Amino acid sequence: MSSEVKVKGNELFTEGYQFNFMVNGKAISAWGSCWTGKEVIKLDGSIVSEGRSYRRKSVHHFDIGQVPYEIEFNAVDILKGHLECTLIEDGAHVETQSIAYKHPETPKKVVVKELLLWMMIGLITGFLAARFLG
């Protein structure tokens, strides 16, 4: 099991969450969109399972030969955009990968300036509304 969490930025919103596994010489890819809830599981480039899920956890079942596999998506922290993807082979855990969204860091000066700007806009709007509508 991998305990490493990959951290990505805004590309998660445009490109979605992408996980890649190699098992017994087969490439398994799992993709999920945080906007539409669509999830696609591919085996060597061919779709073996797809669907939409708006739950915190979803499971996809497929077979390679006679061996059953599962891909589990688990939203660990929705507010932080932290998603885990687990590959299970014949009931046994193979690997878990994890991706989280990294919020862009904004310098404190910029935050203070924006806050002051919005306060000024609010004061002016309130003043004008009171003067002309009150």
Side-chain angles (χ1 to χ4, degrees):
M1 181 172 159
S2 172
S3 61
E4 177 184 335
V5 178
K6 293 181 187 171
V7 179
K8 295 197 172 199
N10 290 334
E11 67 269 16
L12 287 179
F13 294 111
T14 56
E15 299 170 9
Y17 288 83
Q18 179 71 46
F19 301 94
N20 296 300
F21 302 95
M22 283 297 292
V23 63
N24 300 328
K26 300 284 186 181
I28 300 170
S29 67
W31 174 84
S33 170
C34 57
W35 287 111
T36 65
K38 185 171 183 172
E39 300 169 344
V40 178
I41 311 302
K42 293 182 180 181
L43 174 64
D44 290 333
S46 299
I47 296 175
V48 292
S49 179
E50 66 181 318
R52 290 192 193 276
S53 178
Y54 297 101
R55 298 174 187 235
R56 290 183 65 108
K57 187 172 186 177
S58 65
V59 180
H60 293 266
H61 301 274
F62 60 98
D63 294 327
I64 299 177
Q66 300 298 320
V67 182
Y69 285 84
E70 294 178 16
I71 291 282
E72 293 182 358
F73 288 105
N74 182 24
V76 177
D77 189 339
I78 293 173
L79 295 177
K80 293 182 180 177
H82 185 184
L83 184 69
E84 287 184 345
C85 183
T86 302
L87 174 65
I88 298 171
E89 177 183 18
D90 200 14
H93 176 269
V94 176
E95 183 181 357
T96 297
Q97 296 178 9
S98 188
I99 297 178
Y101 172 68
K102 181 178 181 356
H103 296 278
E105 294 187 27
T106 307
K108 288 183 182 179
K109 272 187 168 179
V110 173
V111 172
V112 170
K113 284 181 183 179
E114 286 183 9
L115 182 62
L116 290 174
L117 173 69
W118 285 110
M119 287 176 62
M120 290 296 289
I121 290 172
L123 284 171
I124 292 170
T125 303
F127 173 77
L128 292 175
R131 175 130 169 103
F132 295 109
L133 300 176

